[in-house]
C-alpha cells in the first residue's frame, strides 16, 4: 500500500476493483511461497545450539528473508511495469481501466518470481548470510531476464499483439500470458533446487521455453480441435480457452520439474 500510488483498501472494497484484487492476490501468495522456502530451510543466520536458540534463529530468518522477499517482489512489479508490459502504464490499467488482464500478468510474475526466490534459498545451512543473499539476488535477476526473454518469444509465436490485446482489456490474453509466466518460474526454480550452474540454468531455460511454446500448438490441435487458440483469445476473448492453455503450461512445468 505504501509503495503504490493508490489506496489498496479503497480499490478492494469501495471500488470493487477486480484487477487490483487479482494482482494483490498474486503478491500475497508469492510472499507465502517465499516464507515457505524460508521455513523449509535450516537456519543459516543465527548460530544454534539449543531449542530456544533454534526458535530465535528461525524467527530472525523469517523476518529478514520475509523483508527481502517483499523488496524483491516490489522490484518484480517495477520490471513488469517498465519492461514486460512497457507499452502502457500498469497503474493506469489497474486503477482507471480496472484491466483484469494486466492484473493477471502481474499475478503471474509475482508467483513465478516467488518460486525462483524460494528455490534460491535452498542452499546449504552452513552458507553465510552474505552468500545466501548473493545467490538469491543472482538467481532473481536471472529469473527476471528469463521472463523478459520468454515474453519476447511468446509474442513472436502468438498470432496477435500481446501488449495491444492486454491494453484493450482482453482478460483472456492476460490470463494465458500470466499463467505461462508462472510456469516459467516453476521450471526455473526446479533447476535451481538441483544445481547452482548458471550455464546449466540457461540451457534448461532454452529447453523448457521451447516445450512451453510447443505446448501452445498441442493445446490448439488436441485440446481445442477445430478452433484456433490465438483467435479464441484475441477475437472471442475466450478466457476459458486461455485458462486451458495456462493450466496445461502449469501442468507441463510441474512434470518437467519432477522428471528432470
Amino acid at each position: 500500500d505504501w509503495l503504490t500510488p493508490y489506496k489498496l483498501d479503497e480499490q478492494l472494497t469501495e471500488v470493487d476493483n477486480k484487477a487490483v484484487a487479482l494482482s494483490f492476490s498474486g503478491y500475497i501468495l508469492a510472499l507465502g511461497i517465499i516464507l515457505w522456502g524460508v521455513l523449509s530451510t535450516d537456519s543459516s543466520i543465527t548460530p544454534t545450539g539449543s531449542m530456544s536458540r533454534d526458535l530465535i534463529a528461525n524467527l530472525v530468518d523469517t523476518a529478514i528473508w520475509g523483508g527481502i522477499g517483499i523488496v524483491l517482489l516490489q522490484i518484480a512489479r517495477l520490471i513488469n511495469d517498465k519492461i514486460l508490459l512497457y507499452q502502457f502504464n500498469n497503474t493506469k490499467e489497474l486503477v482507471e481501466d480496472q484491466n483484469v488482464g494486466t492484473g493477471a500478468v502481474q499475478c503471474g510474475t509475482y508467483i513465478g518470481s516467488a518460486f525462483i526466490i524460494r528455490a534460491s534459498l535452498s542452499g546449504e545451512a552452513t552458507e553465510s548470510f552474505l552468500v545466501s543473499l548473493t545467490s538469491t539476488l543472482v538467481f532473481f535477476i536471472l529469473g527476471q531476464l528469463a521472463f523478459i526473454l520468454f515474453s519476447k518469444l511468446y509474442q513472436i509465436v502468438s498470432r496477435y499483439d500481446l501488449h495491444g490485446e492486454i491494453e484493450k482489456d482482453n482478460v483472456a490474453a492476460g490470463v494465458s500470458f500470466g499463467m505461462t509466466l508462472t510456469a516459467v518460474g516453476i521450471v526455473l526454480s526446479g533447476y535451481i533446487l538441483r544445481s547452482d550452474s548458471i550455464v546449466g540454468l540457461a540451457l534448461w531455460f532454452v529447453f523448457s521455453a521451447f516445450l512451453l511454446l510447443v505446448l501452445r500448438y498441442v493445446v490448439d490441435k488436441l485440446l481445442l480441435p477445430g478452433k484456433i487458440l490465438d483467435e479464441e483469445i484475441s477475437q472471442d476473448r475466450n478466457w476459458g480457452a486461455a485458462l486451458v492453455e495456462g493450466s496445461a503450461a502449469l501442468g507441463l512445468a510441474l512434470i518437467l520439474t519432477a522428471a528432470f
Side-chain angles (χ1 to χ4, degrees):
D1 198 17
W2 292 340
L3 297 176
T4 54
Y6 52 85
K7 293 295 183 182
L8 185 61
D9 58 343
E10 177 182 320
Q11 292 297 319
L12 293 178
T13 57
E14 297 180 19
V15 182
D16 296 342
N17 191 328
K18 304 301 187 297
V20 171
L22 184 55
S23 173
F24 185 60
S25 296
Y27 177 85
I28 292 298
L29 179 57
L31 185 57
I33 292 171
I34 293 172
L35 294 179
W36 170 32
V38 173
L39 296 174
S40 301
T41 304
D42 292 336
S43 175
S44 60
I45 296 177
T46 306
T48 60
S50 67
M51 183 178 298
S52 61
R53 289 184 179 180
D54 286 345
L55 176 60
I56 293 174
N58 288 330
L59 291 175
V60 170
D61 271 357
T62 302
I64 292 177
W65 286 109
I68 293 173
I70 290 173
V71 172
L72 294 180
L73 288 176
Q74 290 299 325
I75 295 175
R77 180 176 66 85
L78 293 176
I79 292 175
N80 182 295
D81 193 3
K82 303 301 182 182
I83 302 179
L84 276 181
L85 300 178
Y86 63 91
Q87 294 186 11
F88 50 82
N89 185 288
N90 280 11
T91 300
K92 175 184 177 297
E93 293 297 317
L94 289 174
V95 178
E96 296 182 16
D97 297 345
Q98 298 190 25
N99 188 334
V100 176
T102 300
V105 176
Q106 279 199 348
C107 179
T109 55
Y110 281 143
I111 298 174
S113 297
F115 273 106
I116 294 173
I117 296 170
R118 172 186 174 270
S120 67
L121 295 175
S122 62
E124 299 293 334
T126 56
E127 289 181 350
S128 67
F129 171 70
L130 183 59
V131 171
S132 297
L133 178 61
T134 301
S135 174
T136 299
L137 294 177
V138 167
F139 284 116
F140 172 78
I141 293 172
L142 292 175
Q144 296 303 310
L145 291 175
F147 285 159
I148 295 169
L149 179 56
F150 184 84
S151 70
K152 303 295 184 183
L153 296 173
Y154 191 92
Q155 177 65 87
I156 291 174
V157 302
S158 300
R159 301 180 185 179
Y160 57 86
D161 180 6
L162 178 63
H163 287 82
E165 290 299 323
I166 294 176
E167 188 175 13
K168 290 188 292 187
D169 298 353
N170 188 333
V171 177
V175 168
S176 63
F177 185 49
M179 293 181 71
T180 306
L181 287 177
T182 298
V184 172
I186 291 175
V187 294
L188 291 180
S189 68
Y191 183 88
I192 296 171
L193 284 170
R194 293 169 172 79
S195 173
D196 58 359
S197 170
I198 294 178
V199 175
L201 180 63
L203 294 175
W204 176 247
F205 167 73
V206 172
F207 173 71
S208 56
F210 171 76
L211 291 183
L212 287 172
L213 294 175
V214 168
L215 181 67
R216 299 192 80 246
Y217 180 82
V218 175
V219 171
D220 194 353
K221 299 303 180 183
L222 298 182
L223 298 184
L224 301 173
K227 300 293 182 180
I228 298 178
L229 176 62
D230 286 340
E231 290 183 359
E232 288 294 312
I233 292 175
S234 61
Q235 297 179 15
D236 298 341
R237 299 192 172 193
N238 185 346
W239 65 264
L243 190 62
V244 170
E245 179 198 351
S247 298
L250 291 174
L252 176 62
L254 294 174
I255 293 172
L256 287 175
T257 300
F260 295 94

